[in-house]
């Protein structure tokens, strides 16, 4: 065996090096109440930041494979992994004050290491060219997440959320794995490329693909596989909820696009899964929007918002499985750009929710009544993030939705785009409910004025920069288009 091929996996290897260094730091650094700042946040942020810059600068201009074709790399993979790194970096910054609490101080090493292991699993999923590699990455990304969900182990809600998450994660994995076994029975291979060549539609193949889509639907929180989402998001620590809603969901949606584009685009099988996703997207966007209106808890509200946003992400899959008429990977480019913007806006909103919770313990939408009077800066930043999530111009969310709609429209899904546009108007209503609470509604006991810590301000600065700059920096989308062509 030629072990030099592992050097092609430099992104995964560099992440493993960061994990090992944090293991050593967790053993050597004292984390008592007097020296809690030695390890808490600076070292993980610096290591992850250096690794991100190291991997992002030399973006490969060509695609390559390793491990007998089980591992594939394209330039777009590097961009998506870098995006996930930024989301993880923001999560670490958000977590500083929460991990500095006495009950969490001794567990901070576990938080960083477990989070990075989930990120490593997402790396393997993105680079997979074989269902075995894909499944290993999927489980490595999913199972440690249960430990993060129940990190506040003495809270009943956190333990309940973790129990629901792990049970449904195991069920969805079993569903997906059974689907993969049926696909293998129908084609005789687990390589994505070879499945595409041997892709003759049959009842066995259709059953396998249906189970595969169902399993991925659980991971992405698509309707009707979404029932775990609101309870898990509410019970998990707010920092973990933000990470789960963006980084985990975004990587799964991108991998779904890759698998469908490589393995299921020949013959009538493509039409079958497009019909299935057509109705799943409509259900996800519509039902999530309607249920979001009824929520009074902000974390449950953001859970249904995330389900709706997942529908828009998967909308990019519909136009992303083949080149557009002008030869560009329009659907893939639109999805990655949407993921960038969604990460900035959603993580920014969760950063505000987290800092308010840490300083006041309040999570209800009505608790935000009059927030502008006591904390005007936080209210303003929250408004920017919500406007971007709603797709209001000139914020980046407007352009991300526009590109997603354009890709799906050019792929021929005009009715689907129209329904998504109508739902965008509904989402505008419920996002404005929070803005109304902060600026218009009055409260006898508003949230007291407070000053957020420096790490939270840094996280908010990164997110707001993304919300504002991605909407005006047209070169970002053009660059993604160029990289998408190289990744076809």
């Amino acid at each position: 065996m030629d072990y030099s091929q592992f050097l092609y996996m430099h992104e995964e290897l560099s992440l493993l090096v960061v994990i090992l260094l944090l293991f050593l730091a967790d053993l050597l650094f004292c984390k008592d109440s007097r020296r809690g700042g030695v390890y808490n946040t600076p070292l993980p942020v610096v290591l992850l930041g250096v690794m991100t810059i190291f991997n992002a600068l030399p973006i490969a201009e060509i695609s390559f494979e390793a491990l007998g074709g089980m591992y594939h790399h394209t330039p777009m993979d590097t961009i998506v992994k870098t995006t996930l790194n930024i989301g993880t970096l923001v999560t670490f910054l958000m977590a500083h004050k929460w991990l500095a609490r006495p009950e969490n101080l001794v567990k901070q090493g576990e938080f960083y290491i477990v989070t990075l292991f989930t990120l490593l699993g997402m790396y393997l999923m993105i680079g997979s060219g074989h269902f075995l590699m894909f499944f290993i990455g999927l489980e490595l990304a999913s199972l440690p997440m249960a430990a993060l969900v129940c990190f506040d182990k003495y809270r009943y809600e956190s333990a309940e959320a973790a129990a629901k998450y792990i049970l449904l994660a195991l069920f969805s994995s079993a569903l997906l794995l059974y689907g993969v076994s049926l696909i293998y029975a129908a084609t005789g291979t687990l390589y994505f490329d070879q499945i595409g060549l041997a892709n003759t539609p049959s009842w066995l193949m259709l059953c396998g693909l249906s189970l595969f889509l169902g399993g991925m639907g659980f991971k992405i929180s698509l309707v009707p596989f979404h029932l775990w989402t609101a309870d898990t998001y509410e019970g998990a620590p707010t920092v973990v909820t933000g990470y789960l809603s963006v980084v985990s969901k975004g990587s799964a949606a991108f991998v779904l696009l890759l698998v469908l584009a490589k393995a299921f685009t020949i013959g009538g099988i493509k039409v079958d899964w497009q019909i299935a996703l057509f109705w799943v997207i409509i259900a996800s966007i519509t039902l999530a929007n309607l249920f979001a209106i009824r929520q009074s808890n902000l974390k449950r509200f953001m859970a249904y918002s995330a389900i709706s946003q997942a529908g828009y992400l998967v909308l990019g899959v519909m136009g992303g499985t083949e080149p557009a008429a002008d030869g560009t990977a329009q659907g893939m480019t639109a999805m990655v750009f949407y993921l960038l913007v969604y990460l900035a806006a959603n993580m920014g909103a969760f950063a505000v929710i987290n800092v308010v919770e840490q300083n006041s313990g309040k999570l209800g939408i009505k608790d935000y009544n009059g927030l502008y009077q006591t904390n005007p800066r936080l209210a303003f930043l929250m408004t920017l993030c919500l406007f971007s999530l709603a797709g209001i111009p000139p914020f980046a969310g407007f352009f991300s939705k526009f590109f997603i709609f354009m890709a799906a429209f050019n792929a021929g899904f005009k009715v689907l785009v129209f329904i998504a546009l109508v739902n965008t108007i509904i989402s505008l209503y419920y996002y404005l409910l929070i803005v109304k609470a902060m600026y218009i509604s009055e409260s006898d006991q508003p949230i007291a004025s407070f000053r957020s810590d420096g790490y939270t301000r840094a996280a908010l600065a990164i997110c707001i920069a993304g919300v504002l700059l991605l909407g005006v920096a047209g070169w970002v989308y053009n660059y993604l288009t160029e990289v998408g062509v190289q990744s076809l």
Side-chain angles (χ1 to χ4, degrees):
M1 181 177 179
D2 182 12
Y3 291 99
S4 63
Q5 63 184 319
F6 285 102
L7 296 178
Y8 289 126
M9 305 172 65
H10 61 91
E11 293 160 333
E12 288 77 11
L13 291 176
S14 60
L15 183 55
L16 272 176
V17 170
V18 171
I19 292 173
L20 291 175
L21 290 175
L22 290 179
F23 261 125
L24 293 175
D26 192 33
L27 288 173
L28 300 176
F29 287 172
C30 177
K31 300 181 292 298
D32 59 25
S33 58
R34 294 169 298 173
R35 300 179 58 193
V38 174
Y39 182 77
N40 185 9
T41 309
L43 182 61
V45 167
V46 169
L47 290 177
L48 185 59
V50 170
M51 187 208 80
T52 301
I53 296 173
F54 171 76
N55 289 328
L57 289 179
I59 295 180
E61 297 297 328
I62 58 174
S63 302
F64 55 80
E65 62 181 45
L67 305 178
M70 294 182 68
Y71 178 85
H72 285 252
H73 176 272
T74 65
M76 189 63 83
D77 293 350
T78 298
I79 292 179
V80 175
K81 291 174 183 177
T82 302
T83 303
L84 300 182
N85 286 352
I86 295 172
T88 307
L89 193 66
V90 172
T91 300
F92 286 173
L93 292 171
M94 287 168 51
H96 172 77
K97 187 169 184 176
W98 171 62
L99 289 175
R101 294 166 60 179
E103 66 269 23
N104 292 330
L105 196 60
V106 73
K107 300 185 294 182
Q108 55 188 308
E110 287 84 351
F111 175 80
Y112 297 125
I113 293 167
V114 172
T115 302
L116 291 179
F117 267 121
T118 66
L119 186 62
L120 179 61
M122 297 172 201
Y123 274 25
L124 295 177
M125 287 170 58
I126 293 170
S128 60
H130 187 279
F131 268 117
L132 180 59
M133 177 73 75
F134 163 79
F135 189 74
I136 291 173
L138 181 68
E139 293 307 294
L140 184 57
S142 299
L143 294 181
M145 193 69 73
L148 294 177
V149 172
C150 70
F151 205 79
D152 289 338
K153 61 182 181 180
Y154 295 115
R155 287 180 58 238
Y156 170 78
E157 296 85 357
S158 186
E160 180 186 6
K164 290 181 178 179
Y165 178 83
I166 193 66
L167 288 175
L168 286 173
L170 293 174
F171 173 74
S172 63
S173 296
L175 198 69
L176 188 146
L177 194 58
Y178 186 49
V180 170
S181 68
L182 293 180
I183 293 171
Y184 177 75
T187 61
T189 181
L190 290 176
Y191 285 93
F192 299 154
D193 296 336
Q194 295 179 16
I195 291 174
L197 296 176
N199 200 354
T200 55
S202 64
W203 283 108
L204 202 59
M205 171 68 78
L206 289 175
C207 289
L209 179 58
S210 299
L211 293 173
F212 169 76
L213 291 176
M216 291 301 294
F218 277 105
K219 306 299 181 184
I220 308 175
S221 302
L222 296 171
V223 175
F225 314 103
H226 69 293
L227 297 178
W228 61 273
T229 309
D231 291 338
T232 299
Y233 279 31
E234 182 183 11
T238 303
V239 172
V240 176
T241 302
Y243 181 80
L244 186 61
S245 68
V246 179
V247 180
S248 177
K249 191 184 303 297
S251 63
F254 181 74
V255 171
L256 177 63
L257 168 61
L258 293 182
V259 174
L260 292 177
K262 293 177 181 178
F264 302 105
T265 56
I266 297 178
I269 196 76
K270 179 179 180 180
V271 176
D272 293 328
W273 65 253
Q274 284 181 338
I275 293 174
L277 287 185
F278 180 93
W279 294 108
V280 166
I281 290 171
I282 292 175
S284 298
I285 297 175
T286 305
L287 293 180
N289 283 343
L290 295 177
F291 276 93
I293 297 173
R294 303 176 58 220
Q295 303 308 310
S296 58
N297 181 283
L298 261 177
K299 290 170 72 174
R300 294 185 71 88
F301 172 90
M302 294 302 293
Y304 285 105
S305 167
I307 295 170
S308 176
Q309 298 289 344
Y312 289 109
L313 267 175
V314 179
L315 188 60
V317 175
M318 304 296 279
T321 53
E322 60 185 12
D326 57 356
T328 62
Q330 195 176 66
M332 178 184 292
T333 303
M335 172 183 277
V336 175
F337 185 76
Y338 194 97
L339 177 59
L340 273 169
V341 174
Y342 176 54
L343 183 146
N346 210 56
M347 293 298 286
F350 269 106
V352 174
I353 294 171
N354 179 65
V355 71
V356 170
E357 181 190 16
Q358 295 301 318
N359 286 277
S360 68
K362 296 181 178 181
L363 283 170
I365 294 178
K366 291 185 177 180
D367 294 330
Y368 279 58
N369 290 352
L371 183 66
Y372 175 74
Q373 298 175 356
T374 56
N375 295 276
R377 293 180 181 177
L378 281 180
F380 178 69
L381 297 180
M382 184 69 161
T383 301
L384 295 182
C385 294
L386 293 174
F387 280 179
S388 183
L389 288 172
I392 298 177
F395 303 105
F398 168 78
F399 297 98
S400 64
K401 280 188 168 60
F402 173 79
F403 291 134
I404 280 282
F405 292 160
M406 183 173 64
F409 187 88
N410 290 339
F413 300 98
K414 299 178 177 61
V415 175
L416 183 59
V417 171
F418 174 76
I419 296 173
L421 280 170
V422 173
N423 276 279
T424 301
I425 300 173
I426 299 175
S427 68
L428 174 62
Y429 169 75
Y430 65 73
Y431 285 125
L432 288 179
L433 289 177
I434 301 178
V435 178
K436 173 180 176 291
M438 294 188 296
Y439 285 89
I440 300 176
S441 300
E442 297 181 356
S443 175
D444 296 332
Q445 295 180 332
I447 295 173
S449 179
F450 60 85
R451 183 175 176 83
S452 57
D453 60 278
Y455 293 101
T456 298
R457 292 198 295 272
L460 282 168
I462 295 172
C463 295
I464 297 304
V467 168
L468 297 177
L469 298 180
L470 288 173
V472 296
W475 64 267
V476 175
Y477 185 81
N478 294 333
Y479 177 70
L480 291 177
T481 301
E482 295 175 3
V483 174
V485 174
Q486 301 170 14
S487 304
L488 288 174

